Amino acid sequence: MDIKKLIDNAPENIRKEFIHKKHKKRSLIIFPEEENNYLYILIKGSTEVYRQNLAGTMISLYLYNAYSCFGEVEIFNKEIKTFGIIAKTDCETISMNRKTVLNWMRTDFDFTLYIVEQLSMKLVSGGEATAKLSLLRSEERRGGKECRSRWSA
């Protein structure tokens, strides 16, 4: 599904609920561990999803580019807290609250299919990352030199 086309063809009652924002490079778009009730569609730039461990080390989990979305998982699971999302470049987003997302899904099967595809991709990529981590030795999971060379190849 082409999210740009979906945005352009969104019903007027949905479009009027869009919140357009600009984010400066290195600014936080979503703070870690906060409650999130919004879907964000990145329409320009790139962002990075990160997590900070107890020692304060930042771990990059995922990169988003223009016309991708984030926040959809939290829309459907209130128990989940967010990872941090930071602008890697100057960015522009369209966000909408949970109610607007659900209304759009009720009226547009293609948008519903897009959301399901996004959830499915994140489920698969999360499972692959977990599998890779589970195969590492403990010193590699802590980020030793051998780990960096093994996974950067």
Side-chain angles (χ1 to χ4, degrees):
M1 288 282 115
D2 179 6
I3 189 63
K4 183 177 181 342
K5 184 177 176 182
L6 292 172
I7 292 167
D8 291 343
N9 295 321
E12 186 56 38
N13 65 318
I14 300 298
R15 290 176 65 83
K16 73 177 184 172
E17 299 297 325
F18 288 175
I19 302 165
H20 295 264
K21 284 190 180 175
K22 293 183 179 191
H23 309 272
K24 295 280 186 193
K25 182 178 180 176
R26 291 188 286 280
S27 66
L28 283 171
I29 297 173
I30 296 180
F31 288 86
E33 301 296 322
E34 74 178 2
E35 186 175 319
N36 178 44
N37 294 307
Y38 287 82
L39 171 71
Y40 291 82
I41 300 170
L42 182 64
I43 57 172
K44 180 182 175 194
S46 63
T47 64
E48 180 177 29
V49 181
Y50 73 91
R51 184 161 199 171
Q52 194 168 11
N53 68 15
L54 294 174
T57 303
M58 304 285 269
I59 302 165
S60 177
L61 301 174
Y62 197 79
L63 297 173
Y64 289 110
N65 292 307
Y67 293 102
S68 55
C69 72
F70 47 90
E72 74 282 8
V73 174
E74 296 93 328
I75 296 275
F76 298 101
N77 187 335
K78 293 295 183 189
E79 302 300 314
I80 292 178
K81 297 293 185 201
T82 60
F83 292 124
I85 299 187
I86 192 166
K88 295 288 285 178
T89 63
D90 288 343
C91 296
E92 293 180 28
T93 59
I94 295 173
S95 61
M96 65 199 84
N97 65 32
R98 181 180 193 274
K99 182 180 174 185
T100 302
V101 171
L102 296 177
N103 284 340
W104 193 1
M105 290 177 73
R106 278 187 201 95
T107 62
D108 185 344
F109 180 75
D110 287 336
F111 178 68
T112 301
L113 186 58
Y114 173 79
I115 294 295
V116 170
E117 287 172 352
Q118 296 304 303
L119 291 168
S120 175
M121 285 188 327
K122 288 179 182 167
L123 176 66
V124 169
S125 67
E128 288 172 350
T130 301
K132 282 181 182 178
L133 285 173
S134 70
L135 295 172
L136 295 175
R137 295 183 303 244
S138 64
E139 62 271 8
E140 291 174 316
R141 285 193 297 268
R142 289 192 304 266
K145 184 169 128 182
E146 188 177 329
C147 173
R148 287 188 292 274
S149 63
R150 181 175 178 181
W151 293 108
S152 59

